[in-house]
Amino acid sequence: MALFTAACVQLRSGKTLSDNAEAAESLIRSAAQDGARYIQTPEMSNVLVRTRDELLERISVAGSDPFLKMAIRLASELKVYLHLGSLAVLAGGGKVANRAFLIGPDGSVMATYDKIHMFDVDLPNGESWRESATYEPGTRSVIADLPFARIGMAVCYDVRFPAIFRTQARQGAQVLTAPAAFTRQTGEAHWHVLQRARAIENGAYVVSAAQGGLHEDGRETYGHSLIVDPWGQVIAELDGDAPGHVLAEIDTENAVKARGRIPAIANERDFACHVAEGLEELHA
């Protein structure tokens, strides 16, 4: 059993990396002062811009990113584990990585994860998104061991692909994550149910910091940063889209208990998928 306090930091990132880093630093400090040992920021914490050309003009390789530099300095100063939900960083070949970073209290980068699933969609309200035109998708799921929990890393749209989270749970992750920049329309419809479903089916906590509000580039995100327990109960929520932080106590023993009560992982079986053709033989 391990107990620790987790925090979601909700942002409203704009176009200027240094401004976004300054706003995030203030909220991260507040979360640490309230006792958080693990602090998570949303997807695209460092910058949100709508066009590919403008994004490429503003970002850099990871080692030169001012948001990452701030986070490394701050994690070391505050002695916390700081999980940057993702940053946009240059990946080479004219592509961008949507990359999460987990930073330890010594300032070291413990793990990185590149978002696997690309959000390519035309929405009924006229919005159109083609992440694959800009971003290079990741190819591997990532889990990281902290002294108090094994944590699975994912980003935003990944939450709609349960296999990532199931694989991480099978590998012993008690805490799953899906930091996001959900659009308001999809957030209102699906945000809570997706987070709770990933928690219930895996018997794990789900911690997901979110972007919220009307951004400088004109997009609107849903907010409602959440922490869900292994039984599917929302135990902390930033109710709205304003920047801020929310905390909850995590007890990893609750993941053990939930998996004992509903042993879905242990009861899994391999199976084939058969497409029926005509009348099947009847079995007594």
Side-chain angles (χ1 to χ4, degrees), residues 54-137:
E54 190 173 9
L55 179 64
L56 291 173
E57 288 174 0
R58 293 174 181 273
I59 64 174
S60 61
V61 296
S64 300
D65 184 89
F67 200 106
L68 181 58
K69 289 180 178 179
M70 175 276 294
I72 289 171
R73 169 179 54 80
L74 204 56
S76 180
E77 176 191 338
L78 300 175
K79 304 303 178 189
V80 297
Y81 291 87
L82 185 50
H83 179 176
L84 306 182
S86 80
L87 306 179
V89 295
L90 292 176
K95 287 282 193 172
V96 178
N98 190 341
R99 181 169 297 162
F101 294 82
L102 182 59
I103 304 163
D106 62 354
S108 65
V109 176
M110 300 175 60
T112 64
Y113 163 75
D114 287 1
K115 183 179 178 182
I116 292 173
H117 296 98
M118 299 289 100
F119 188 49
D120 290 358
V121 66
D122 298 308
L123 296 174
N125 67 353
E127 290 184 74
S128 180
W129 302 97
R130 289 291 180 274
E131 287 187 343
S132 62
T134 300
Y135 295 94
E136 184 68 30

Side-chain angles (χ1 to χ4, degrees), residues 25-36 39 78 80 245 247:
E25 178 171 352
S26 176
L27 291 170
I28 292 166
R29 286 187 181 278
S30 294
Q33 289 170 2
D34 286 346
I39 302 171
L78 300 175
V80 297
H245 74 274
L247 305 97

